[in-house]
Amino acid sequence: MRLLEIGNGNFVRVVGFDGGHHMQHKLRQLGILPGDCIRVVRQAPFGGPFLLEVGGREIALGRRIAARILVEETECVSS
Amino acid sequence: MRFVLIGQPNCGKSTLFNQVAGYKAETGNFSGTTVTYTASKVRVSGQVVEIVDLPGTYSLAGTNPAERETLRYLASNPVDVIINVVDATHLTQGLGLTLELLELQRPMVIALNMLDEAARIGLEIDGPRLQQRLGVTVMPLVASKGRGVRNLFVSALRIGEDAILPKRVRYARDLEEAVSSIVAGLDGNSLLSPDALAIKLLEEDPQVVEMISEAAPNAIELLAISRMRLQEARGQEAIWVVGAERHGLAGNLVREVVKQGERRVTWRDRLDSFFLHPIGGYLFLFIILLLFFEVIYGLGSALETPLLNLFLVIEAQLIAWLGNSSLIAQVLVGSLQGVAGGVAIVLPYLMPFLLGLGLMEDIGYLPRVAFLMDGLMHRIGLHGKAVVPFILGYGCNVPAVMSTRLLEERRDRFLAAALATLVPCAARLAVVFGLVAFYLGPRIALGIYIFNLFVIALTGKIISSLLPEDSPGLILEMPIYRLPTLRTVTQKAWFRIKEFIVEAWPILILGSVVLAILNYYDFADWFNLIIRPITWALGLPGEVGVPLIFGILRKELSLIMLRQALGVSNFASALSPVQMITFTVFVVFYVPCLATLAVLRRELGNRDMLLIAGLTVIIAFFGALAARVVALLVM
């Protein structure tokens, strides 16, 4: 599953990335690594970004990036 | 003795720096306010210490120009103590960088900042335990209120004097084996510790790989072997192993030292359900922006009229005294007009604008605007981070162009800078209102603003289709809302106004003097002739040539000089309504002012500056031509 398909308010666990080194580097820097738990907080209209909660912080990610984050639906805690 | 402040974006480094050095570094409640380093000398317990504020970075392996500054600085400058500023509310994230800094094995102290915020959200942090686990002094800090600042620096001084070296935290055995095998190939001739170099090599940091490839090619061979072994053992690319290890360790540390107490839901938690609402969010944005500009315009024009009248009286006095014919009299009157332009036309709008902007920055609203506008910005080929240059552009194009450093890709920086220079700044607002709104009514002035937005969108579309997109899209941390203090907001506004007074104002005065001299020797006709082809094609009188050329110095100048050039006190007697519209549209788009050109050159280089300047002339010409045709048809 891809993060792009996840609806607001759901918790998911990151299982991997489907993208180049540069994008992965950026995401890992921000503390989004495989095994981490993410909550989708909200989505902006007009094809705008996702707002995620990761480790107690909020991060906005464009949809093109959200499409490259592989996740699984699971019970987890995002802090 | 030299201290460096290192920490993640928006952890309060610059706030701490300003507490001890006076307001010298820009601050704001979003990532990337500090894009280059600032240094200052301060006195700690009678000793002079240099404190360096480095740009925030998530890790030493940076991905944008601002982030790469930290490792470059550490590799090329001796540092006595690293002050690692950590945001206590996001400890897991912050400790990742702390572990990375420990690899450097330099004297270090951890400043646990924003402890008041942490307490507010119910976090209990066991500082002594953290200190014991990391083997580094941990000091409590609330930089925004100045709490703990003194103790932090006194303790840093002691650590620096005793040169206490911390031990780095050990990683898993396979990783440590890889590190020591690479270290065997290094020659130890660097400001960075051998262990740190080996780890940076494993992380494929381009700066370090380049450095070592020349200095110790042996290590590169050893690296290849270690990398293969790690990859086999871990089943993931070696480049990510160290980062994952630090992330895991930081997570374990946090579970050990942080207790999550009861969390009270406060107004800050509810704000986003209004400000980021799919419909309400845009309504709020619209109202906030409208209110913002209403206040600026209301305050500005209320101040401008009496100030201008005051200067007209002084000018009349001066002419009555010295006469109007001598060169000295004309130069004096010219410089007085330059002073008046700064005091009466620019500052009345600049002051409320900068105060309002500072407020929005410190509250943390700007990243929310980026979130809301990202989808729409994509349609002109940009992502939401470019909203910041856009909003800033309405005040002044100079900070707008500077803020493009927040963008990672050069293509995005070029595009955002080019479009930001098309945004009508406060100076151009004076031309639009002084000419079009005053003589033809506010509706036509509004029409010019809407036409401007349309042209910007079209230009963005065209440039982005010519330059292939390679940016991965928006990645932006959303800071929590903070209540700004009056002190930081006014200090920040004053810091920026000072910049205008020192850098821009002298140009305004000089420009007015040069104009007085030109007029005295009747050189004006030569200038008019140079751009006669353009003024002729746009159906404008030849005399507007000088005002247009001098408008490059400062945009208000083109309106002030137009009166002089046409030799009238009432524009309606010399220009038709269509000519007023054509002239104004041309002024709104053509070549950004000298200060903007200078900053374009600094940020993007000579070639791109000339490219953007040329582009704006073409856009201005065709924009004005289109406006003329439409105006002729309608009026």
Side-chain angles (χ1 to χ4, degrees):
Chain A
M1 257 184 140
R2 286 163 194 275
L3 183 61
L4 191 66
E5 305 159 41
I6 308 299
N8 290 356
N10 288 316
F11 289 90
V12 289
R13 190 181 295 282
V14 179
V15 289
F17 303 110
D18 172 19
H21 268 189
H22 185 80
M23 186 201 86
Q24 265 202 60
H25 190 162
K26 195 79 208 165
L27 290 172
R28 285 170 183 268
Q29 268 199 336
L30 273 165
I32 301 176
L33 279 78
D36 284 344
C37 184
I38 294 181
R39 185 169 77 95
V40 178
V41 181
R42 63 177 80 240
Q43 293 167 36
F46 309 111
F50 274 59
L51 190 63
L52 310 171
E53 192 185 324
V54 193
R57 299 175 310 140
E58 287 192 331
I59 291 165
L61 281 190
R63 299 182 81 84
R64 289 216 323 230
I65 301 176
R68 293 173 179 184
I69 299 179
L70 307 173
V71 296
E72 59 180 17
E73 276 187 289
T74 166
E75 293 276 308
C76 62
V77 190
S78 73
S79 67
Chain B
M1 187 78 68
R2 182 187 278 147
F3 297 169
V4 291
L5 306 181
I6 301 180
Q8 304 222 339
N10 207 22
C11 74
K13 288 173 304 300
S14 298
T15 307
L16 173 63
F17 180 81
N18 290 342
Q19 283 283 358
V20 291
Y23 202 99
K24 281 186 185 157
E26 290 267 9
T27 57
N29 185 12
F30 53 94
S31 317
T33 1
T34 310
V35 282
T36 151
Y37 70 84
T38 321
S40 180
K41 289 209 162 63
V42 300
R43 210 165 257 282
V44 181
S45 308
Q47 259 222 57
V48 177
V49 174
E50 187 186 25
I51 296 178
V52 182
D53 178 32
L54 290 169
T57 182
Y58 291 103
S59 77
L60 292 179
T63 54
N64 72 30
E67 286 176 2
R68 276 191 287 271
E69 192 71 44
T70 303
L71 188 63
R72 193 183 6 246
Y73 188 92
L74 289 171
S76 49
N77 295 280
V79 168
D80 296 293
V81 182
I82 292 172
I83 297 180
N84 175 211
V85 183
V86 179
D87 175 356
T89 61
H90 301 138
L91 207 51
T92 318
Q93 180 66 13
L95 287 180
L97 178 63
T98 303
L99 291 170
E100 192 173 355
L101 289 171
L102 282 172
E103 292 160 9
L104 298 168
Q105 288 159 286
R106 294 262 186 99
M108 182 165 141
V109 56
I110 295 170
L112 208 51
N113 194 19
M114 302 189 197
L115 281 172
D116 54 339
E117 300 263 6
R120 192 178 54 76
I121 58 174
L123 295 177
E124 277 173 55
I125 301 169
D126 187 348
R129 182 77 177 261
L130 185 65
Q131 175 165 322
Q132 183 214 329
R133 293 285 279 109
L134 290 173
V136 183
T137 307
V138 176
M139 299 298 288
L141 181 69
V142 182
S144 61
K145 300 192 174 113
R147 287 212 289 266
V149 175
R150 226 192 98 74
N151 287 344
L152 170 67
F153 283 102
V154 169
S155 129
L157 190 67
R158 203 198 62 230
I159 290 167
E161 276 169 347
D162 300 348
I164 301 169
L165 294 180
K167 283 204 183 68
R168 68 177 178 87
V169 175
R170 297 278 140 185
Y171 301 131
R173 187 187 292 168
D174 54 348
L175 189 50
E176 290 296 340
E177 276 168 8
V179 171
S180 45
S181 81
I182 298 168
V183 165
L186 293 170
D187 58 3
N189 196 10
S190 166
L191 278 173
L192 302 175
S193 75
D195 283 15
L197 283 175
I199 291 170
K200 285 281 155 295
L201 285 175
L202 275 172
E203 289 185 289
E204 290 176 37
D205 183 277
Q207 288 180 78
V208 176
V209 170
E210 192 187 332
M211 213 160 74
I212 300 300
S213 303
E214 283 173 29
N218 253 351
I220 301 291
E221 276 171 42
L222 292 167
L223 169 68
I225 301 166
S226 306
R227 193 180 279 160
M228 234 155 51
R229 268 196 214 140
L230 262 182
Q231 203 147 322
E232 256 169 49
R234 297 274 181 134
Q236 67 169 321
E237 285 180 272
I239 178 172
W240 310 124
V241 169
V242 188
E245 188 83 8
R246 286 192 204 111
H247 186 67
L249 264 172
N252 290 340
L253 268 171
V254 167
R255 272 186 284 281
E256 210 182 308
V257 302
V258 179
K259 258 212 316 247
Q260 172 74 60
E262 196 190 339
R263 201 197 150 152
R264 284 167 299 157
V265 177
T266 62
W267 56 272
R268 295 169 214 240
D269 299 305
R270 291 185 225 273
L271 274 183
D272 271 345
S273 44
F274 300 106
F275 285 146
L276 296 184
H277 188 274
I279 300 158
Y282 292 92
L283 203 66
F284 274 116
L285 175 61
F286 182 72
I287 293 170
I288 287 169
L289 290 184
L290 204 66
L291 212 67
F292 188 33
F293 284 99
E294 275 300 319
V295 168
I296 293 161
Y297 189 65
L299 281 176
S301 52
L303 283 171
E304 182 184 343
T305 320
L307 283 173
L308 266 184
N309 286 338
L310 180 71
F311 276 102
L312 282 178
V313 171
I314 300 174
E315 196 181 313
Q317 285 283 336
L318 203 65
I319 291 171
W321 240 18
L322 297 166
N324 203 6
S325 49
S326 71
L327 180 62
I328 298 208
Q330 294 219 359
V331 166
L332 277 176
V333 169
S335 49
L336 182 72
Q337 282 171 345
V339 174
V343 175
I345 299 173
V346 183
L347 282 178
Y349 296 99
L350 203 63
M351 276 189 302
F353 176 75
L354 291 178
L355 281 170
L357 183 73
L359 202 65
M360 288 214 285
E361 282 177 353
D362 283 8
I363 288 174
Y365 185 60
L366 289 182
R368 266 84 187 176
V369 178
F371 178 80
L372 287 173
M373 297 306 288
D374 185 62
L376 295 172
M377 297 293 278
H378 263 296
R379 299 189 185 180
I380 58 170
L382 277 172
H383 58 67
K385 267 194 186 179
V387 169
V388 177
F390 252 80
I391 296 172
L392 293 174
Y394 279 97
C396 175
N397 289 175
V398 173
V401 171
M402 273 199 265
S403 72
T404 58
R405 282 190 216 170
L406 294 179
L407 301 165
E408 271 111 50
E409 309 294 332
R410 201 192 141 75
R411 165 206 182 266
D412 289 348
R413 286 201 293 272
F414 174 80
L415 186 50
L419 298 185
T421 55
L422 295 175
V423 174
C425 60
R428 284 175 265 185
L429 177 129
V431 182
V432 175
F433 278 83
L435 192 62
V436 173
F438 190 72
Y439 287 97
L440 308 174
R443 271 194 205 168
I444 297 185
L446 187 66
I448 288 183
Y449 272 89
I450 293 169
F451 179 64
N452 171 266
L453 279 177
F454 169 76
V455 171
I456 290 175
L458 191 70
T459 309
K461 197 97 200 143
I462 293 170
I463 300 181
S464 59
S465 69
L466 292 176
L467 297 172
E469 169 151 36
D470 53 0
S471 69
L474 183 74
I475 303 182
L476 183 65
E477 188 168 347
M478 222 32 82
I480 57 166
Y481 289 104
R482 294 201 174 108
L483 212 55
T485 62
L486 187 68
R487 186 158 165 254
T488 46
V489 172
T490 48
Q491 271 182 336
K492 188 197 315 223
W494 171 238
F495 177 73
R496 291 171 174 172
I497 287 169
K498 221 163 52 189
E499 250 179 352
F500 164 79
I501 293 173
V502 175
E503 283 166 29
W505 214 357
I507 297 175
L508 304 193
I509 297 170
L510 204 70
S512 299
V513 170
V514 170
L515 169 66
I517 295 171
L518 278 182
N519 272 344
Y520 184 79
Y521 289 110
D522 280 333
F523 275 151
D525 291 344
W526 290 95
F527 285 95
N528 286 334
L529 211 60
I530 296 172
I531 63 167
R532 186 64 191 133
I534 292 177
T535 52
W536 176 80
L538 294 175
L540 293 170
E543 289 87 346
V544 306
V546 171
L548 284 181
I549 291 173
F550 276 81
I552 295 173
L553 289 177
R554 59 181 237 232
K555 289 285 181 161
E556 315 92 321
L557 203 60
S558 51
L559 185 65
I560 296 163
M561 285 173 58
L562 187 62
R563 208 180 285 265
Q564 244 175 310
L566 293 172
V568 295
S569 55
N570 182 351
F571 286 117
S573 63
L575 292 175
S576 71
V578 174
Q579 284 177 323
M580 287 184 194
I581 293 173
T582 315
F583 176 81
T584 307
V585 169
F586 192 82
V587 168
V588 163
F589 288 113
Y590 89 111
V591 186
C593 69
L594 207 62
T596 308
L597 287 176
V599 75
L600 278 173
R601 188 172 148 201
R602 200 176 72 205
E603 297 295 321
L604 297 168
N606 245 333
R607 197 189 62 117
D608 284 355
M609 174 200 75
L610 291 174
L611 203 65
I612 289 174
L615 194 70
T616 59
V617 174
I618 295 169
I619 292 169
F621 180 74
F622 287 103
L625 205 61
R628 178 173 148 81
V629 171
V630 172
L632 279 173
L633 287 175
V634 174
M635 291 173 119

